[in-house]
Amino acid sequence: MNSETIIPKTILSKIILNPIPIMKKITLIGIVALFVISCNDKNAAPPVAEAPLLPVLSIKSADAVTDAEYPAALQGAVDVEIRPQVSGNLEKIYVDEGAYVSKGQTLFKINERPFREQLNNALANLHAAQAAYLNAQLEVDKLTPLVQNKVVSDYQLKTAKASQKIAAANIEQAKAMVGSARINLGYTNVTAPVSGYIGRLPKKQGSLVSATDIEPLTNLSDVHEVYAYFSLGETDFIKFKSAYAGNTLGDKIKHLPPVTLILADNSDYPQLGKIDMVDGQFDKNTGAITVRATFPNKNGTLRSGNTGKIRLGVQHDNAILIPQSATIEMQDKVFVFTVNKENKVNKMPITISGKSGTNYLITDGVKSGDQIVLSGIDKLQEGQAIQPEKSKAPIAQIIKK
């Protein structure tokens, strides 16, 4: 039936003369027509949904470098505690917390008066010992000709020579006491053993300090180079040794690529570092071995006590890499949608062994030559048909993205 109803002229004239019965007939005809149309619509088959057009990637193996990250603690090339070597009142503090100091610069001054008096006393004892030696020498000089002329016995000359040796030994002892007193006097002037940055100053001017104090006067850090210490478990260490060329661990360290330091704000430190030390043994408590990477720090950006992460690149030959965006995680498992010859998708679990940028390194689940759906996988169902859209970009470029 047409959507538009044409009323003949005879009927139209009847409607004009007697409209009510005729209108009832027309209304009834329209209801019947609508009922017939609705019945035909219900019996009609629903339209078939068109298969979605989705991008598909054909997997190929290639050499790749994956990144492994390890928590690291930073320490200056030299971190020393500045402690007093003698006891006394802290007379002066010449530096402030956080200041940069040069090697040999005076940091603290301990009251020197007691130690200067000790030096004066040691000098006096030295002079007395030297005088005693001269006296013993005179005695020997006097007795020598008398013994030769047999005026006195040889015994007296031997006794005089023994006294002379004792006087000489007393001089050496007095010199040692003078040297010790000078050293202690020098310890009252506390200087920087290396160039670096001053830490906190817990002791204030006038405090009584001692070499036996638990807390140091301050800490001094030489941070022109910074050491980043991180740990490798036994499994990671085995992979670490097998991934690089070299017969010995020392040879492998020479062939290691530069490493990246990730700062606390997840930004990359602009200078690359170099692994230069692997500890000689594993820690029995943690089952890990310590590795050290050295980073240049001319601008003093890094300080002792900083934390971060070391990003270590590992070379993989003939690896399978797929973008993270092509995966979906469900119940602690990661899946991809593979595409078969009938263009139907299958949800396939995969095993991930590492990460390279925004890509996963796959060891099981897919292989070279398989096709996977790149995007739009959230609404896909197992066995659903799709229209594959081959990516025009090279696989290496997709992986790189």
Side-chain angles (χ1 to χ4, degrees), residues 259-367:
V259 295
T260 302
L261 174 63
I262 305 173
L263 302 178
D265 61 353
N266 289 326
S267 64
D268 291 352
Y269 181 64
Q271 301 290 330
L272 295 177
K274 178 68 176 176
I275 293 178
D276 55 6
M277 188 279 293
V278 177
D279 201 351
Q281 59 185 2
F282 280 83
D283 189 314
K284 294 181 180 179
N285 297 322
T286 62
I289 194 168
T290 301
V291 183
R292 184 184 74 189
T294 302
F295 292 85
N297 188 37
K298 293 182 180 179
N299 296 329
T301 304
L302 304 176
R303 299 293 180 91
S304 290
N306 280 152
T307 58
K309 290 183 288 187
I310 293 295
R311 182 186 295 143
L312 181 63
V314 180
Q315 179 69 35
H316 299 274
D317 297 331
N318 297 322
I320 301 295
L321 285 177
I322 63 173
Q324 295 182 36
S325 59
T327 64
I328 186 170
E329 187 173 352
M330 296 178 62
Q331 298 179 350
D332 299 331
K333 292 184 178 181
V334 180
F335 297 86
V336 295
F337 281 93
T338 60
V339 183
N340 60 21
K341 295 180 179 180
E342 289 76 24
N343 293 334
K344 293 183 178 181
V345 298
N346 298 313
K347 189 164 64 174
M348 182 68 64
I350 57 175
T351 302
I352 299 171
S353 63
K355 187 171 69 171
S356 176
T358 59
N359 307 294
Y360 285 137
L361 176 67
I362 308 303
T363 57
D364 191 24
V366 292
K367 60 184 183 300

Side-chain angles (χ1 to χ4, degrees), residues 53-233:
L53 180 65
L54 295 176
V56 171
L57 172 67
S58 180
I59 298 176
K60 292 183 180 180
S61 60
D63 296 341
V65 177
T66 58
D67 296 328
E69 295 180 356
Y70 303 92
L74 306 187
Q75 184 177 326
V78 179
D79 280 344
V80 293
E81 293 182 341
I82 306 299
R83 292 183 174 273
Q85 298 296 309
V86 293
S87 301
N89 290 321
L90 192 59
E91 195 171 65
K92 290 183 180 179
I93 300 176
Y94 295 101
V95 292
D96 197 2
E97 295 177 340
Y100 181 83
V101 296
S102 301
K103 181 178 180 180
Q105 182 177 336
T106 301
L107 308 178
F108 306 95
K109 181 66 176 178
I110 299 174
N111 185 12
E112 69 174 20
R113 288 190 295 274
F115 302 98
R116 188 166 294 280
E117 293 304 320
Q118 291 178 9
L119 176 60
N120 292 335
N121 185 49
L123 288 172
N125 291 334
L126 174 60
H127 296 155
Q130 290 172 340
Y133 178 82
L134 290 176
N135 190 38
Q137 182 65 44
L138 290 173
E139 186 68 17
V140 170
D141 293 342
K142 182 183 74 172
L143 292 176
T144 299
L146 296 176
V147 171
Q148 291 176 352
N149 295 326
K150 297 183 180 181
V151 176
V152 295
S153 66
D154 184 55
Y155 176 78
Q156 291 179 335
L157 180 60
K158 291 180 179 179
T159 302
K161 288 183 177 181
S163 298
Q164 183 187 26
K165 291 181 179 181
I166 293 173
N170 289 336
I171 290 176
E172 297 300 323
Q173 185 178 20
K175 287 182 178 179
M177 295 300 293
V178 170
S180 178
R182 289 188 189 278
I183 291 173
N184 288 334
L185 180 61
Y187 282 152
T188 61
N189 193 40
V190 182
T191 60
V194 294
S195 298
Y197 291 92
I198 294 293
R200 289 184 60 250
L201 300 175
K203 301 289 186 179
K204 305 305 178 184
Q205 186 172 338
S207 301
L208 181 64
V209 297
S210 172
T212 59
D213 289 343
I214 297 176
E215 196 171 26
L217 293 175
T218 189
N219 291 286
L220 181 61
S221 298
D222 177 10
V223 290
H224 76 281
E225 283 186 339
V226 171
Y227 297 147
Y229 291 93
F230 62 100
S231 299
L232 294 177

